[in-house]
Amino acid sequence: MRALLTTKTARRALRPVADLIDQRIERRIRQVMGGGEAGLERRVAALSNRQRPLELLLDATGRGTSRLPAQVHLTRVIDELERVTGDREGAQRNVAQAFRLLMALESLGVGRIAGGTMNICGKLSAVPLLDPPNDEVLEIGTLYGMFGAALIRMMERAGRDPRLTIVDPLAGLQLQPGTTEGDDPTGTPVRGAAVRTNLALAGAAGAAARIQQGFSGDPEIRALVGDRAYGVIIVDGDHSAAGVGADLEWAEEIVAPGGIVVLDDFGHAKWPGIKEAFEKHMAGNTRFTFLGQVANSGYLRAR
Ligand SMILES: C[S@@+](CC[C@H](N)C(=O)[O-])C[C@H]1O[C@@H](n2cnc3c(N)ncnc32)[C@H](O)[C@@H]1O
């Protein structure tokens, strides 16, 4: 049969049928391609135009950092949170909720939360999961106060009643010794009014937050702020080794037994002074035990 179909006569007789099949296939391809390569390009352009408004909600424009994590980043932060807190289910839930909260606050607030998306979601997730011994929270270095507002929300979601104290020079821009930080990508000056607006987004606990304008190393500020024992201390002010070392020494004095200290930008290539100060501090006499690292933050618990 095969031999019969491949004879010259058979091929000539079957050619009209083969041509008809070819034409049908070509017509179908043209339909799928929507008019050839040009048509395909038109359709891709139309699709990316439709996607652009969604990207605007999440990309780096006007805040300096993209908020579009890939699945690999989400998986890694959840694994790290599980190692530090022992609660995988809580980590998965909190990361999703923290991510939505970050989008909401940056959409509605003034300025931004500093740092990478997974580092922010990691801190917002870890603090309530680590079950601090009381609800007093101290943030050293707040920039726009938006992280403090977000942390209030995450603590309340865990059934806590957070009371936030903030220390920051609120100097118009981010102050960092040894570096020249330019204008913020948001275009918004760092000032008390911005911090208040953002804290107001966190309801009654945000409005009740104490803001101490000044430097964490200033004895007057220390006397005012050191009036209580804190369940949580976020160290995110002066990022130099000397600055972080001084904040860690102060934290030893004002953290409650069982309290949590978060060292922001821990292991970040741009801020080597943070790990340097941590290593020096941990080599001495300390109440702190290192719990581990999630994204770019280190977690300590006080005895
Ligand atoms: C990285 S930003 C804080 C970001 C904020 N925690 C967040 O998550 O969005 C650092 C802030 O600390 C402030 N700062 C610098 N030196 C400080 C100091 N000695 N005491 C308190 N704040 C300081 C900076 O001006 C800046 O506002």
Side-chain angles (χ1 to χ4, degrees):
M1 179 69 175
R2 194 164 183 275
L4 202 65
L5 284 174
T6 52
T7 62
K8 246 186 189 170
T9 325
R11 279 210 306 269
R12 202 174 307 130
L14 288 173
R15 186 164 301 140
V17 179
D19 285 348
L20 195 64
I21 291 170
D22 283 348
Q23 279 167 20
R24 285 195 172 172
I25 290 172
E26 271 169 28
R27 200 179 318 136
R28 186 76 192 111
I29 289 174
R30 267 202 304 278
Q31 275 171 359
V32 170
M33 297 270 290
E37 256 177 55
L40 196 62
E41 267 170 35
R42 266 199 310 278
R43 286 169 57 161
V44 170
L47 276 176
S48 48
N49 272 338
R50 279 172 58 183
Q51 203 176 309
R52 186 70 195 116
L54 291 176
E55 283 176 357
L56 268 183
L57 289 173
L58 298 164
D59 75 9
T61 319
R63 71 177 136 212
T65 313
S66 164
R67 302 289 184 220
L68 276 161
Q71 183 57 46
V72 61
H73 302 130
L74 289 161
T75 304
R76 191 186 308 143
V77 86
I78 288 165
D79 288 347
E80 290 171 349
L81 277 165
E82 184 185 10
R83 276 197 288 279
V84 169
T85 67
D87 184 350
R88 183 162 190 87
E89 214 178 292
Q92 282 169 328
R93 178 199 61 222
N94 281 16
V95 166
Q97 293 183 345
F99 180 73
R100 294 179 199 132
L101 181 61
L102 170 60
M103 293 312 118
L105 286 176
E106 286 193 331
S107 301
L108 208 56
V110 176
R112 65 186 167 110
I113 299 187
T117 309
M118 289 302 92
N119 190 41
I120 295 165
C121 291
K123 287 183 290 179
L124 293 174
S125 301
V127 171
L129 290 177
L130 287 170
D131 193 18
N134 69 40
D135 292 336
E136 296 294 341
V137 178
L138 170 62
E139 186 185 21
I140 303 174
T142 203
L143 198 67
Y144 296 106
M146 202 184 279
F147 176 79
L151 189 57
I152 285 174
R153 269 281 186 277
M154 290 303 286
M155 293 283 281
E156 286 179 342
R157 285 170 176 176
R160 308 292 297 249
D161 299 307
R163 287 177 296 278
L164 177 65
T165 301
I166 281 170
V167 177
D168 194 293
L170 303 172
L173 73 173
Q174 176 170 181
L175 292 185
Q176 284 304 336
T179 65
T180 324
E181 298 286 323
D183 286 346
D184 196 82
T186 58
T188 302
V190 180
R191 60 192 192 114
V195 173
R196 281 279 168 224
T197 298
N198 290 327
L199 287 171
L201 296 173
R210 298 193 302 171
I211 303 173
Q212 289 300 338
Q213 186 171 2
F215 295 92
S216 59
D218 181 335
E220 263 180 51
I221 296 284
R222 284 191 174 200
L224 288 167
V225 170
D227 62 346
R228 61 197 68 189
Y230 291 91
V232 181
I233 300 179
I234 312 288
V235 176
D236 197 15
D238 175 347
H239 283 32
S240 68
V244 175
D247 283 345
L248 279 173
E249 272 169 32
W250 187 33
E252 292 271 1
E253 294 166 22
I254 56 171
V255 71
I260 299 298
V261 173
V262 182
L263 268 184
D264 207 328
D265 291 316
F266 181 83
H268 196 300
K270 190 178 170 193
W271 310 107
I274 293 164
K275 209 161 192 177
E276 192 189 317
F278 161 79
E279 278 160 8
K280 194 168 162 207
H281 188 87
M282 297 305 280
N285 192 15
T286 176
R287 294 168 63 203
F288 299 141
T289 305
F290 183 59
L291 301 177
Q293 181 170 350
V294 177
N296 277 124
S297 292
Y299 293 84
L300 314 174
R301 195 185 287 276
R303 269 201 314 274

